[in-house]
Amino acid sequence: MVLHVDNGMEVQEKHKIDFDFREKLDVIADGFRHNYCYQCGACVADCPSHNYSESFNPRLIMLKTLLGFEDELVQPDSEIWNCTNCYTCSERCPQDVRPVDIIIALKNLCVKTGKAPDSIQKISQAVMESGITTKATSVTERRRQELGLNPMKTYPVEDLKKIVEGE
Ligand code: SF4
Ligand code: SF4
């Protein structure tokens, strides 16, 4: 199902609101804020991703979130991945929706359900296994030695897992 935008918003097909999706987001940090969106569009004006491509529209993402378009939003090729996390929309929003936080919540839901792009899924896995985004190899360590750098630090991965899993 596709929401078509032309001269303002137009919903082309009947859509039954998926309240279960709202509830899923409500329990993710800051995910509940989408409920405050009244579709004013202030978040769109200075959005750099929107300025780059009009097909990216944070107001429309908030609307799809409210209506429960999970199949469109929670996907490896979802438009949410074009958000730069710049937080401009959060500064502009009069309702304190913090659209970027909703988009991050959607991204987290993608990772949790294995629906993030491969590259993101690999980065998330590396962070959970080593605490950093790129695993150090023996070649990395050798190069660091040659450059006179200290060995790579290790990180308390078990503590990190507890934070991520909300324990
Ligand atoms: S955080 Fe994302 S949605 Fe918000 S203004 Fe920046 S690019 Fe646009
Ligand atoms: S600025 Fe806030 S209230 Fe207005 S459309 Fe964007 S998220 Fe919704």
Side-chain angles (χ1 to χ4, degrees), residues 4-64:
H4 175 67
V5 183
D6 185 18
N7 288 329
M9 189 206 73
E10 203 180 295
V11 181
Q12 286 194 320
E13 295 175 46
K14 281 191 181 170
H15 174 76
K16 193 166 172 244
I17 297 175
D18 180 356
F19 289 100
D20 290 346
F21 183 55
R22 286 192 189 183
E23 281 168 19
K24 266 189 218 174
L25 274 182
D26 285 352
V27 296
I28 299 178
D30 288 323
F32 67 94
R33 293 185 173 278
H34 69 279
N35 293 298
Y36 306 152
C37 176
Y38 58 18
Q39 291 290 294
C40 68
C43 53
V44 183
D46 276 343
C47 169
S49 297
H50 176 74
N51 290 338
Y52 179 74
S53 165
E54 285 190 10
S55 64
F56 179 88
N57 184 321
R59 179 190 63 76
L60 196 53
I61 293 173
M62 293 309 108
L63 180 60
K64 288 180 182 176

Coordinates of all heavy atoms in Angstrom, one line a residue, residues 4-64:
H4 N 0.3 8.3 -1.6 CA 0.8 9.1 -2.7 C 0.7 10.6 -2.3 O -0.3 11.1 -1.8 CB -0.1 8.8 -3.9 CG 0.2 9.7 -5.1 ND1 1.3 9.6 -5.7 CD2 -0.6 10.7 -5.6 CE1 1.3 10.5 -6.7 NE2 0.2 11.2 -6.7
V5 N 1.7 11.4 -2.5 CA 1.7 12.8 -2.2 C 1.7 13.6 -3.5 O 2.6 13.5 -4.3 CB 2.9 13.2 -1.3 CG1 2.8 14.6 -0.9 CG2 3.0 12.3 -0.1
D6 N 0.7 14.4 -3.6 CA 0.6 15.3 -4.8 C -0.3 16.5 -4.4 O -1.4 16.3 -4.0 CB 0.0 14.5 -5.9 CG 0.0 15.3 -7.2 OD1 0.7 16.3 -7.3 OD2 -0.8 15.0 -8.1
N7 N 0.3 17.7 -4.4 CA -0.5 18.8 -3.9 C -1.0 18.6 -2.5 O -2.2 18.6 -2.3 CB -1.7 19.2 -4.8 CG -1.2 19.8 -6.1 OD1 -0.2 20.5 -6.1 ND2 -1.9 19.5 -7.2
G8 N -0.1 18.3 -1.6 CA -0.6 18.0 -0.3 C -0.7 16.5 -0.1 O -0.3 15.7 -1.0
M9 N -1.4 16.0 0.9 CA -1.4 14.6 1.2 C -2.6 14.0 0.6 O -3.7 14.5 0.6 CB -1.4 14.4 2.7 CG -1.2 12.9 3.0 SD -1.9 12.6 4.6 CE -3.7 12.7 4.2
E10 N -2.5 12.8 0.1 CA -3.6 12.1 -0.5 C -3.4 10.6 -0.2 O -2.4 10.0 -0.5 CB -3.5 12.2 -2.0 CG -4.8 12.1 -2.8 CD -4.6 12.2 -4.2 OE1 -4.2 13.4 -4.6 OE2 -4.7 11.2 -5.0
V11 N -4.4 10.0 0.5 CA -4.3 8.5 0.8 C -5.0 7.8 -0.3 O -6.2 8.0 -0.5 CB -4.8 8.2 2.2 CG1 -4.7 6.7 2.4 CG2 -4.1 9.0 3.2
Q12 N -4.4 7.0 -1.1 CA -5.0 6.4 -2.3 C -5.9 5.3 -2.0 O -6.9 5.0 -2.7 CB -3.9 6.0 -3.3 CG -3.3 7.2 -4.0 CD -2.5 6.8 -5.2 OE1 -1.8 5.8 -5.1 NE2 -2.6 7.6 -6.2
E13 N -5.5 4.5 -1.0 CA -6.3 3.3 -0.7 C -6.8 3.4 0.7 O -6.2 4.0 1.6 CB -5.5 2.0 -0.8 CG -5.0 1.8 -2.3 CD -4.1 0.6 -2.3 OE1 -4.4 -0.4 -1.7 OE2 -3.0 0.7 -2.9
K14 N -7.9 2.7 1.0 CA -8.4 2.6 2.4 C -7.4 1.9 3.2 O -6.8 0.9 2.7 CB -9.8 1.9 2.4 CG -10.9 2.8 2.0 CD -12.2 2.2 2.3 CE -13.4 3.1 1.9 NZ -14.7 2.5 1.9
H15 N -7.2 2.3 4.4 CA -6.2 1.7 5.2 C -6.7 1.6 6.7 O -7.2 2.6 7.2 CB -4.9 2.5 5.2 CG -3.9 2.0 6.2 ND1 -3.1 0.8 5.9 CD2 -3.4 2.4 7.4 CE1 -2.3 0.6 6.9 NE2 -2.5 1.5 7.8
K16 N -6.7 0.4 7.2 CA -7.2 0.2 8.6 C -6.0 0.6 9.5 O -4.9 0.0 9.3 CB -7.6 -1.2 8.7 CG -8.4 -1.5 10.0 CD -9.0 -2.9 9.9 CE -9.7 -3.2 11.2 NZ -9.1 -4.3 11.9
I17 N -6.2 1.5 10.4 CA -5.2 1.9 11.3 C -4.7 0.7 12.1 O -5.5 -0.1 12.7 CB -5.6 3.0 12.2 CG1 -5.9 4.3 11.4 CG2 -4.5 3.3 13.3 CD1 -6.5 5.4 12.2
D18 N -3.3 0.5 12.1 CA -2.8 -0.6 12.9 C -2.3 -0.1 14.3 O -1.2 0.4 14.4 CB -1.6 -1.2 12.1 CG -0.9 -2.3 12.8 OD1 -1.3 -2.7 13.9 OD2 0.0 -2.9 12.2
F19 N -3.2 -0.2 15.2 CA -2.9 0.3 16.6 C -1.8 -0.6 17.2 O -1.1 -0.1 18.1 CB -4.1 0.3 17.4 CG -5.1 1.4 17.0 CD1 -6.2 1.1 16.3 CD2 -4.9 2.7 17.4 CE1 -7.1 2.1 15.9 CE2 -5.7 3.7 17.0 CZ -6.8 3.4 16.2
D20 N -1.7 -1.8 16.8 CA -0.6 -2.7 17.4 C 0.8 -2.1 17.1 O 1.7 -2.2 17.9 CB -0.7 -4.1 16.8 CG -1.9 -4.9 17.2 OD1 -2.5 -4.4 18.2 OD2 -2.3 -5.9 16.7
F21 N 0.9 -1.5 15.9 CA 2.2 -1.0 15.5 C 2.5 0.2 16.4 O 3.7 0.4 16.8 CB 2.2 -0.5 14.0 CG 3.5 0.0 13.5 CD1 4.7 -0.7 13.7 CD2 3.6 1.2 12.9 CE1 5.9 -0.3 13.2 CE2 4.8 1.7 12.5 CZ 6.0 1.0 12.6
R22 N 1.5 1.0 16.7 CA 1.7 2.2 17.6 C 2.2 1.6 18.9 O 3.1 2.2 19.5 CB 0.4 2.9 17.8 CG 0.0 3.8 16.7 CD -1.2 4.7 17.1 NE -1.8 5.3 16.0 CZ -2.7 6.2 16.2 NH1 -3.2 6.5 17.4 NH2 -3.2 6.8 15.1
E23 N 1.6 0.6 19.4 CA 2.0 0.0 20.7 C 3.4 -0.5 20.7 O 4.1 -0.3 21.6 CB 1.0 -1.1 21.1 CG -0.3 -0.5 21.6 CD -1.4 -1.5 21.8 OE1 -1.1 -2.7 21.9 OE2 -2.6 -1.1 21.9
K24 N 3.8 -1.1 19.5 CA 5.2 -1.6 19.4 C 6.2 -0.4 19.6 O 7.2 -0.5 20.2 CB 5.4 -2.2 18.0 CG 5.2 -3.7 18.0 CD 5.7 -4.2 16.6 CE 4.7 -5.3 16.1 NZ 5.0 -5.7 14.8
L25 N 5.8 0.7 18.9 CA 6.7 1.9 19.0 C 6.7 2.5 20.3 O 7.7 3.1 20.8 CB 6.3 2.9 17.9 CG 6.9 2.7 16.5 CD1 6.5 3.8 15.6 CD2 8.4 2.7 16.6
D26 N 5.5 2.5 21.0 CA 5.4 3.2 22.3 C 6.3 2.7 23.3 O 6.7 3.4 24.2 CB 3.9 3.0 22.8 CG 2.9 3.9 22.0 OD1 3.4 4.8 21.2 OD2 1.7 3.8 22.2
V27 N 6.7 1.4 23.2 CA 7.6 0.9 24.2 C 9.1 1.0 23.9 O 10.0 0.8 24.7 CB 7.3 -0.6 24.5 CG1 5.9 -0.8 25.1 CG2 7.5 -1.5 23.2
I28 N 9.4 1.5 22.7 CA 10.8 1.9 22.4 C 11.1 3.3 22.8 O 10.2 4.1 22.7 CB 11.1 1.7 20.8 CG1 10.8 0.3 20.4 CG2 12.5 2.1 20.5 CD1 10.9 0.1 18.9
A29 N 12.3 3.5 23.3 CA 12.6 4.9 23.9 C 12.2 6.0 22.9 O 12.6 6.0 21.8 CB 14.1 4.9 24.1
D30 N 11.4 6.9 23.4 CA 10.9 8.1 22.7 C 10.0 7.7 21.5 O 9.5 8.6 20.8 CB 12.0 9.0 22.2 CG 12.7 9.7 23.4 OD1 11.9 10.1 24.3 OD2 13.9 9.9 23.4
G31 N 9.7 6.4 21.3 CA 8.8 6.1 20.2 C 7.4 6.5 20.3 O 6.7 6.7 19.3
F32 N 7.0 6.8 21.6 CA 5.6 7.2 21.8 C 5.3 8.6 21.3 O 4.1 9.0 21.1 CB 5.2 7.2 23.3 CG 6.0 8.2 24.1 CD1 5.4 9.4 24.4 CD2 7.3 7.9 24.5 CE1 6.1 10.4 25.1 CE2 8.0 8.9 25.3 CZ 7.4 10.1 25.5
R33 N 6.3 9.4 21.0 CA 6.1 10.8 20.7 C 5.4 11.1 19.4 O 4.9 12.1 19.1 CB 7.5 11.5 20.7 CG 8.1 11.6 22.0 CD 9.4 12.4 22.0 NE 9.8 12.6 23.4 CZ 9.3 13.5 24.2 NH1 8.4 14.4 23.8 NH2 9.7 13.6 25.5
H34 N 5.4 10.0 18.5 CA 4.7 10.2 17.2 C 3.2 10.5 17.4 O 2.6 11.2 16.6 CB 4.9 9.0 16.3 CG 4.1 7.8 16.8 ND1 4.6 7.0 17.8 CD2 2.9 7.3 16.4 CE1 3.7 6.0 18.0 NE2 2.7 6.2 17.2
N35 N 2.7 10.1 18.6 CA 1.3 10.4 18.9 C 0.9 11.9 19.0 O -0.2 12.2 18.9 CB 0.9 9.7 20.2 CG 0.9 8.2 20.1 OD1 0.2 7.6 19.3 ND2 1.8 7.5 20.8
Y36 N 1.9 12.7 19.2 CA 1.7 14.1 19.3 C 1.7 14.9 18.0 O 1.4 16.1 18.0 CB 2.8 14.8 20.2 CG 3.0 14.2 21.6 CD1 4.2 14.2 22.2 CD2 1.9 13.5 22.2 CE1 4.4 13.7 23.4 CE2 2.1 12.9 23.5 CZ 3.4 13.0 24.1 OH 3.6 12.5 25.3
C37 N 2.0 14.2 16.9 CA 2.1 14.9 15.6 C 0.8 15.4 15.1 O -0.2 14.6 15.0 CB 2.8 14.0 14.6 SG 2.9 14.7 12.9
Y38 N 0.7 16.7 14.7 CA -0.6 17.2 14.1 C -0.4 17.6 12.7 O -1.1 18.4 12.2 CB -1.3 18.2 15.0 CG -0.5 19.5 15.3 CD1 0.6 19.9 14.6 CD2 -1.0 20.3 16.4 CE1 1.3 21.1 15.0 CE2 -0.3 21.5 16.7 CZ 0.8 21.8 16.0 OH 1.4 23.0 16.4
Q39 N 0.7 17.0 12.1 CA 0.9 17.1 10.6 C 1.0 18.6 10.1 O 0.5 18.9 9.0 CB -0.3 16.4 9.9 CG -0.2 14.9 10.0 CD 0.9 14.3 9.3 OE1 1.0 14.3 8.1 NE2 1.9 13.7 10.0
C40 N 1.7 19.4 10.8 CA 1.9 20.8 10.4 C 2.9 21.0 9.3 O 2.9 21.9 8.5 CB 2.2 21.7 11.6 SG 3.9 21.4 12.2
G41 N 3.9 20.1 9.2 CA 4.9 20.1 8.2 C 6.1 21.0 8.5 O 7.0 21.1 7.7
A42 N 6.2 21.5 9.7 CA 7.3 22.4 10.0 C 8.7 21.6 10.0 O 9.7 22.2 9.7 CB 7.1 23.0 11.4
C43 N 8.6 20.3 10.2 CA 9.8 19.5 10.2 C 10.4 19.3 8.8 O 11.5 18.9 8.7 CB 9.5 18.1 10.8 SG 8.1 17.3 10.1
V44 N 9.6 19.6 7.8 CA 10.0 19.3 6.4 C 10.9 20.4 5.9 O 11.9 20.1 5.2 CB 8.8 19.1 5.5 CG1 9.2 18.7 4.1 CG2 7.8 18.1 6.1
A45 N 10.6 21.7 6.3 CA 11.2 22.8 5.6 C 12.7 22.8 5.6 O 13.3 23.1 4.5 CB 10.7 24.1 6.2
D46 N 13.4 22.5 6.7 CA 14.8 22.6 6.7 C 15.5 21.2 6.7 O 16.7 21.1 7.0 CB 15.3 23.3 8.0 CG 15.2 24.8 7.8 OD1 15.2 25.2 6.6 OD2 15.3 25.6 8.8
C47 N 14.7 20.2 6.4 CA 15.3 18.8 6.4 C 16.3 18.7 5.3 O 15.8 18.8 4.1 CB 14.2 17.8 6.4 SG 14.7 16.1 6.0
P48 N 17.5 18.4 5.5 CA 18.5 18.3 4.4 C 18.2 17.1 3.5 O 18.4 17.2 2.3 CB 19.8 18.2 5.1 CG 19.5 17.7 6.5 CD 18.2 18.2 6.8
S49 N 17.7 16.0 4.0 CA 17.4 14.9 3.2 C 16.2 15.2 2.3 O 16.2 14.8 1.1 CB 17.0 13.7 4.0 OG 18.2 13.3 4.8
H50 N 15.2 16.0 2.8 CA 14.1 16.4 1.9 C 14.6 17.4 0.9 O 14.1 17.3 -0.3 CB 13.0 17.1 2.8 CG 11.9 17.6 2.0 ND1 10.9 16.8 1.4 CD2 11.5 18.9 1.6 CE1 10.1 17.5 0.7 NE2 10.4 18.8 0.8
N51 N 15.5 18.3 1.2 CA 16.0 19.2 0.3 C 16.8 18.5 -0.8 O 16.8 19.0 -2.0 CB 16.9 20.3 0.9 CG 16.0 21.2 1.8 OD1 14.8 21.3 1.6 ND2 16.6 21.9 2.8
Y52 N 17.4 17.4 -0.5 CA 18.1 16.6 -1.5 C 17.2 15.8 -2.4 O 17.3 15.7 -3.6 CB 19.1 15.7 -0.7 CG 19.9 14.8 -1.6 CD1 20.9 15.3 -2.4 CD2 19.6 13.4 -1.8 CE1 21.7 14.5 -3.2 CE2 20.3 12.6 -2.6 CZ 21.3 13.1 -3.3 OH 22.1 12.3 -4.2
S53 N 16.1 15.2 -1.7 CA 15.2 14.4 -2.5 C 13.8 14.6 -1.9 O 13.5 14.3 -0.7 CB 15.6 13.0 -2.4 OG 14.5 12.2 -2.9
E54 N 12.9 15.2 -2.7 CA 11.5 15.5 -2.1 C 10.8 14.2 -1.7 O 9.8 14.3 -1.0 CB 10.7 16.3 -3.2 CG 11.2 17.8 -3.2 CD 10.3 18.7 -4.0 OE1 9.2 18.2 -4.4 OE2 10.7 19.8 -4.3
S55 N 11.2 13.1 -2.2 CA 10.5 11.9 -1.9 C 10.7 11.5 -0.4 O 9.9 10.8 0.2 CB 10.9 10.7 -2.7 OG 12.2 10.4 -2.5
F56 N 11.7 12.1 0.3 CA 11.9 11.9 1.7 C 11.2 13.0 2.4 O 11.5 14.2 2.2 CB 13.4 11.9 2.1 CG 13.6 11.7 3.5 CD1 13.7 10.5 4.1 CD2 13.7 12.8 4.4 CE1 13.9 10.3 5.4 CE2 13.8 12.7 5.8 CZ 13.9 11.4 6.3
N57 N 10.3 12.6 3.3 CA 9.5 13.6 4.0 C 9.2 13.2 5.4 O 8.4 12.3 5.6 CB 8.2 13.8 3.2 CG 7.3 14.8 3.7 OD1 7.1 15.0 4.9 ND2 6.6 15.6 2.8
P58 N 9.8 13.9 6.4 CA 9.6 13.4 7.8 C 8.1 13.5 8.3 O 7.6 12.7 9.1 CB 10.5 14.3 8.6 CG 10.9 15.4 7.7 CD 10.8 14.9 6.3
R59 N 7.4 14.5 7.7 CA 5.9 14.6 8.1 C 5.2 13.4 7.6 O 4.4 12.8 8.4 CB 5.3 15.9 7.5 CG 3.8 16.0 7.8 CD 3.1 17.1 7.0 NE 3.1 16.8 5.6 CZ 2.3 15.9 5.0 NH1 1.5 15.2 5.7 NH2 2.4 15.7 3.7
L60 N 5.5 12.9 6.4 CA 4.8 11.8 5.9 C 5.2 10.5 6.6 O 4.4 9.6 6.9 CB 5.2 11.6 4.4 CG 4.3 10.7 3.6 CD1 2.8 11.1 3.7 CD2 4.8 10.8 2.1
I61 N 6.5 10.5 7.1 CA 6.9 9.3 7.9 C 6.1 9.3 9.2 O 5.7 8.2 9.6 CB 8.5 9.3 8.1 CG1 9.2 9.1 6.8 CG2 8.9 8.3 9.1 CD1 10.7 9.3 6.9
M62 N 5.9 10.5 9.8 CA 5.1 10.5 11.0 C 3.7 10.0 10.8 O 3.1 9.3 11.5 CB 5.1 11.9 11.6 CG 6.4 12.4 12.1 SD 7.3 11.3 13.3 CE 8.6 10.7 12.2
L63 N 3.1 10.4 9.6 CA 1.8 10.0 9.3 C 1.7 8.5 9.1 O 0.8 7.8 9.6 CB 1.3 10.7 8.0 CG -0.1 10.4 7.5 CD1 -1.2 10.7 8.6 CD2 -0.5 11.1 6.2
K64 N 2.7 8.0 8.3 CA 2.7 6.5 8.1 C 2.8 5.8 9.4 O 2.3 4.7 9.6 CB 3.8 6.1 7.2 CG 3.5 6.5 5.7 CD 4.7 6.1 4.8 CE 4.5 6.6 3.4 NZ 5.7 6.3 2.6

